[in-house]
Amino acid sequence: MDMTVDASCPRDCYDTCLLKVEVDPEANRVLRVRGDPSSPVTRGFVCPRGAADPRRTHSPRRILYPYVREDKPGGPLRRVTWREAVDLAAARLREVLETHGPESVLVLEYAGNMGLLTWHFSLRLWNSIGATRTDHTICSASGHAALRLHYGSSHGVMPEEIPGMRLVVFWGFNAAVSALHLWTLALEARRRGAKLVAVDPRRSETAEKTDLWVAPRPGTDVALAYGVMRAMVDEDLVDREFIEKNTYGYEHLVEELSKWSLERVERITGVPSRTVRELATLYGTLRPSATLIGFGMQKSLGGGEAVRAVSLIPALAGMHRGFYYSNSAAWLVDKSYLTGEKMARNRPLVVSQVALGRLLEEGSFKYIYIYNTNPASTLPNQNAVRRGLSRRDVFVVVHDTHWNETTDYADLVLPAPTYLEKTDVVVSYSHRYVRLSRRAIKPLGESRDEVWVMRRLASRLPVDPWVMEDPWEALKKALENALEDGDFDDLLEGKTLKLVARPRDEYPTPTGRIELYSTLAEKEGHSPLPRQPETGGGFTLITSAHPKYTHSQFQDVYGPIPPVVWVNPLDAESLGVRDGDLVRLHNRLGSVTLRAMVTDRVPPGVLWAPRLATGLDGNPVNSVALDEPQRLGGGSTFNSTRVFLEKALNPITDT
Ligand SMILES: Nc1nc2c(c(=O)[nH]1)N[C@H]1C(S)=C(S)[C@@H](COP(=O)(O)OP(=O)(O)OC[C@H]3O[C@@H](n4cnc5c(=O)[nH]c(N)nc54)[C@H](O)[C@@H]3O)O[C@H]1N2
Ligand SMILES: Nc1nc2c(c(=O)[nH]1)N[C@H]1C(S)=C(S)[C@@H](COP(=O)(O)OP(=O)(O)OC[C@H]3O[C@@H](n4cnc5c(=O)[nH]c(N)nc54)[C@H](O)[C@@H]3O)O[C@H]1N2
Ligand code: SF4
Ligand SMILES: [Mo]
């Protein structure tokens, strides 16, 4: 008989849906994944990825057994037993630790599964031996650093508040694709009379559906935000009482604004002054408002600066933390206890995830343990990444659920169960609702979870006793202060609980206020007020999320990510490119061939491609992606990628 199991989607996604999973226990099959209607935020529906989870779970691309690779990249595989696999992984690790030291061991993980056990607890082994890790800067780091400068921490509006807003601004945030449930909450606000705005250089799916679309040139959001604030000040649309009571440095900000005439703003951003005024009027008259700042906009050389500038607008409009970026800093989950970072004797070496390719290429590591991430697709400067992983003097272990680009570079491949095959707890980075995600079916093949593998490895190495702590005991301790309306036992029983959230109107800044002028920035060597970076000429390549894929995942279900690039009709004409032609994008890092879609959804000088597509020449889009970390927070700069574009020969029709 079929049955239904409660789970939470652990994918790197704003929404962290509560799910109802229908399974056939006898056949050990997942039949259907539905949204749980009891969730106040994710409300009973799933995105195309959630809906495809039964197919992804039972996909022919699943890794079901451990394998040793004879020759990399891509050489023949030999199936081995778990005992052989663990012996080999541990022996090589011991050898590298003894001859090269822990710095030459790299643990490389990210948010492929955000489960607290899957992702965090399984880091204990690596923290105990002092392995090098990355700084997790690939996604949102610079925005967090930016908000800390002005607000002390980065949490903001809670999703349940969105329907009550009178204005919702999606600033560099394609929520209609990347955060379907937050978008749905905004649609509810609109039904109650709210206005929706999108700020995006590209006519994104979100921009197409909002009431106002503001289209700055890429990387000019600081100027635009200053323009909006200037108009608010000039037209007396600011909340003076709020500013007086809750902010620091208003005079400095006003002085800066005096340099930002709307003509200057228009020259830099391309946004007409009347549109800047219109946005300022919306902010000044429609309260409360929520400004949803996307991770996407933040992935450029001045992305952190842009987040800083945009975040100050709602303060002028009189709102406590009137932005939403990520609420991960609001919760009191003790992650450093879970990961063992807190107990570790030595601080490990931390390297840039954004610039990792160059380190890999130089041979900085002799042993790399990879899980929950697909670096041979998702990191920038792919040529360096792939050369680095191909080195003969580095032993690469990959523990993943599916064969992917990175498994081609693995010396040892280990099979992992998907989230539907293990029990875990997932904490969202947007909403407060948390529930036990129960195992729906037994692990497929010989797949073994991350905690199991960690403990097996640890039993063959000299490690601290805390590595072997019972995972559920550790979880209980890590959640001790985190749950608002119940305790750990309630969670184990399956109740949906709320996380305690830090207050919205408290500011752990040096002055205890919203620092419009950041004294922290001054101290740390950044400009106290956000700074508009230089923007160059040539083509800027923007890449962003596609509705059917989570980064590189789901190609086994939906087929390859479309290898297309949007080109503005004026650019196409001047380069002699017609719709459907093959074009080659190239720069000093590499090249990729894509099919041109000529469309006015991008302005001249801007190209857009779905992220993580593989080009028609077999090169990943990230072959050309910039790997220079941002100055503020070290974040990624994918959207500052500059490329040349030329018509390519079509291998089939052009001879
Ligand atoms: N379907 C789907 N959803 C996802 C994911 C996924 O892979 N697939 N991944 C999740 C993850 S990890 C992330 S990080 C988020 C990302 O989600 P978002 O924050 O929405 O980011 P992106 O989709 O990268 O881009 C958002 C928008 O920023 C615009 N943009 C680019 N440069 C600029 C600029 O200079 N200024 C402004 N104003 N806008 C700019 C782009 O045109 C794009 O429309 O999505 C999450 N949700
Ligand atoms: N060009 C371009 N590139 C980008 C971006 C961009 O905007 N443009 N955005 C960047 C951003 S924001 C992000 S967050 C990164 C994401 O980069 P990655 O984290 O590398 O993204 P995924 O491709 O989703 O890879 C996740 C991997 O985890 C595996 N996995 C899933 N569940 C489990 C599990 O339970 N256990 C184990 N062991 N493995 C599991 C999946 O099979 C998959 O191989 O990509 C970045 N890359
Ligand atoms: S990927 Fe996001 S929207 Fe889709 S089911 Fe998972 S949490 Fe929900
Ligand atoms: Mo991300």
Side-chain angles (χ1 to χ4, degrees):
M1 216 183 51
D2 297 351
M3 60 183 227
T4 302
V5 180
D6 286 353
S8 310
C9 180
R11 226 161 265 130
D12 189 355
C13 171
Y14 290 98
D15 295 352
T16 311
C17 289
L18 298 188
L19 304 173
K20 291 276 180 205
V21 184
E22 288 170 23
V23 297
D24 175 348
E26 265 135 60
N28 200 40
R29 281 195 82 83
V30 179
L31 303 175
R32 195 168 162 216
V33 171
R34 286 182 296 124
D36 186 336
S38 78
S39 160
V41 172
T42 60
R43 297 170 161 200
F45 71 96
V46 287
C47 73
R49 297 158 291 146
D53 263 332
R55 279 191 283 161
R56 181 148 167 92
T57 306
H58 298 286
S59 151
R61 297 288 296 163
R62 279 296 298 273
I63 305 171
L64 296 174
Y65 307 99
Y67 292 92
V68 169
R69 191 186 294 290
E70 305 296 349
D71 190 20
K72 70 184 179 193
L77 292 160
R78 178 166 55 87
R79 188 170 149 191
V80 293
T81 64
W82 264 108
R83 176 180 285 280
E84 286 171 288
V86 174
D87 283 347
L88 177 63
R92 293 303 292 264
L93 180 54
R94 250 193 336 260
E95 204 178 293
V96 171
L97 284 172
E98 277 159 21
T99 47
H100 300 279
E103 305 79 43
S104 50
V105 175
L106 174 70
V107 59
L108 180 53
E109 30 62 53
Y110 201 60
N113 177 326
M114 303 198 300
L116 293 176
L117 297 179
T118 301
W119 186 12
H120 297 99
F121 183 74
S122 58
L123 279 168
R124 281 199 173 185
L125 166 67
W126 308 99
N127 278 320
S128 172
I129 63 173
T132 299
R133 60 179 173 83
T134 72
D135 56 3
H136 290 172
T137 45
I138 202 69
C139 180
S140 60
S142 287
H144 284 286
L147 294 165
R148 176 180 157 267
L149 292 182
H150 299 283
Y151 289 87
S153 64
S154 51
H155 63 286
V157 171
M158 290 290 154
E160 314 81 298
E161 297 177 85
I162 294 174
M165 297 294 169
R166 294 184 62 215
L167 171 68
V168 185
V169 179
F170 293 93
W171 201 307
F173 190 175
N174 190 14
V177 164
S178 62
L180 206 50
H181 297 84
L182 299 187
W183 171 247
T184 305
L185 295 171
L187 291 179
E188 187 176 329
R190 171 144 76 183
R191 278 196 296 278
R192 300 187 193 172
K195 284 255 181 302
L196 308 189
V197 177
V199 183
D200 200 311
R202 185 176 74 95
R203 205 165 78 233
S204 66
E205 290 80 351
T206 305
E208 280 192 317
K209 295 175 194 136
T210 46
D211 305 297
L212 174 66
W213 170 38
V214 181
R217 295 192 182 101
T220 65
D221 297 272
V222 175
L224 180 62
Y226 275 147
V228 171
M229 290 191 275
R230 166 72 181 260
M232 287 173 77
V233 171
D234 281 358
E235 293 173 33
D236 203 19
L237 293 163
V238 300
D239 185 335
R240 284 179 189 283
E241 210 182 304
F242 179 90
I243 293 169
E244 178 72 25
K245 204 163 150 226
N246 300 294
T247 72
Y248 169 82
Y250 182 60
E251 333 63 67
H252 292 293
L253 176 63
V254 170
E255 193 190 319
E256 176 69 27
L257 295 179
S258 69
K259 301 177 201 154
W260 293 92
S261 70
L262 297 198
E263 294 70 44
R264 181 179 174 211
V265 170
E266 178 165 348
R267 230 176 17 252
I268 295 177
T269 63
V271 178
S273 342
R274 74 185 135 70
T275 310
V276 176
R277 269 195 214 98
E278 191 181 345
L279 186 52
T281 306
L282 292 176
Y283 269 114
T285 52
L286 298 179
R287 299 173 217 213
S289 67
T291 302
L292 279 61
I293 307 174
F295 295 159
M297 164 191 87
Q298 165 256 190
K299 291 177 215 157
S300 69
L301 285 167
E305 294 296 319
V307 173
R308 294 178 67 182
V310 174
S311 79
L312 301 183
I313 301 174
L316 296 198
M319 249 127 3
H320 284 292
R321 296 181 187 272
F323 56 84
Y324 165 79
Y325 180 68
S326 154
N327 285 331
S328 56
W331 323 135
L332 305 180
V333 180
D334 192 347
K335 282 192 185 154
S336 72
Y337 180 75
L338 267 184
T339 62
E341 226 176 299
K342 213 174 191 171
M343 293 80 90
R345 276 161 299 160
N346 300 310
R347 284 174 71 88
L349 187 63
V350 179
V351 295
S352 167
Q353 191 180 16
V354 173
L356 191 68
R358 289 179 254 169
L359 289 178
L360 295 174
E361 191 175 26
E362 286 161 12
S364 309
F365 312 106
K366 301 290 173 239
Y367 189 102
I368 307 179
Y369 190 90
I370 303 174
Y371 71 100
N372 260 347
T373 184
N374 183 11
S377 165
T378 53
L379 291 183
N381 192 1
Q382 271 302 310
N383 288 320
V385 171
R386 291 176 172 202
R387 279 194 295 266
L389 293 174
S390 308
R391 287 178 68 110
R392 295 296 155 100
D393 60 350
V394 52
F395 189 74
V396 178
V397 184
V398 177
H399 188 203
D400 204 298
T401 53
H402 291 71
W403 297 101
N404 62 17
E405 287 78 356
T406 307
T407 52
D408 281 353
Y409 296 84
D411 296 283
L412 179 62
V413 180
L414 305 176
T418 67
Y419 76 98
L420 295 170
E421 298 151 60
K422 56 198 170 201
T423 302
D424 207 336
V425 174
V426 192
V427 169
S428 161
Y429 50 82
S430 72
H431 64 75
R432 303 173 62 175
Y433 301 93
V434 57
R435 183 175 71 185
L436 192 67
S437 184
R438 291 183 196 274
R439 181 169 113 167
I441 57 167
K442 292 196 284 289
L444 296 186
E446 290 181 6
S447 60
R448 295 284 179 273
D449 67 62
E450 292 66 19
V451 175
W452 185 92
V453 178
M454 175 189 82
R455 289 164 74 101
R456 289 296 154 115
L457 276 175
S459 69
R460 289 159 169 79
L461 292 156
V463 294
D464 297 295
W466 44 260
V467 175
M468 292 302 199
E469 186 181 6
D470 177 82
W472 293 95
E473 282 298 317
L475 202 52
K476 183 175 179 177
K477 282 188 205 143
L479 293 174
E480 213 154 36
N481 302 313
L483 304 171
E484 186 175 275
D485 51 354
D487 59 20
F488 192 66
D489 290 330
D490 294 324
L491 196 67
L492 292 183
E493 271 172 33
K495 290 197 183 125
T496 303
L497 299 179
K498 266 186 179 171
L499 293 165
V500 177
R502 290 182 209 276
R504 283 264 299 284
D505 57 355
E506 281 176 19
Y507 302 102
T509 55
T511 58
R513 292 163 166 237
I514 303 170
E515 296 201 348
L516 302 171
Y517 179 96
S518 169
T519 58
L520 210 56
E522 203 167 26
K523 215 170 93 196
E524 294 178 359
H526 298 285
S527 159
L529 288 160
R531 186 177 279 168
Q532 172 59 50
E534 296 289 319
T535 53
F539 282 111
T540 302
L541 173 66
I542 291 178
T543 48
S544 70
H546 186 290
K548 288 184 178 164
Y549 308 93
T550 294
H551 312 295
S552 67
Q553 300 180 67
F554 289 95
Q555 300 189 68
D556 51 336
V557 176
Y558 290 120
I561 299 170
V564 297
V565 58
W566 294 1
V567 186
N568 180 271
L570 293 173
D571 290 330
E573 197 188 322
S574 70
L575 291 162
V577 169
R578 284 161 309 169
D579 194 59
D581 279 351
L582 298 192
V583 290
R584 197 170 80 91
L585 278 55
H586 61 103
N587 59 21
R588 66 184 167 81
L589 298 175
S591 73
V592 58
T593 300
L594 299 166
R595 193 171 294 283
M597 284 178 69
V598 177
T599 167
D600 64 2
R601 290 180 70 175
V602 282
V606 177
L607 305 171
W608 175 85
R611 62 191 186 195
L612 311 169
T614 299
L616 295 157
D617 51 5
N619 293 342
V621 163
N622 274 339
S623 310
V624 295
L626 185 65
D627 61 348
E628 186 180 330
Q630 292 183 46
R631 207 171 89 73
L632 174 60
S636 60
T637 50
F638 291 102
N639 292 333
S640 289
T641 296
R642 305 257 155 202
V643 290
F644 299 99
L645 182 138
E646 63 190 27
K647 203 172 152 177
L649 285 185
N650 185 328
I652 300 156
T653 55
D654 303 336
T655 42

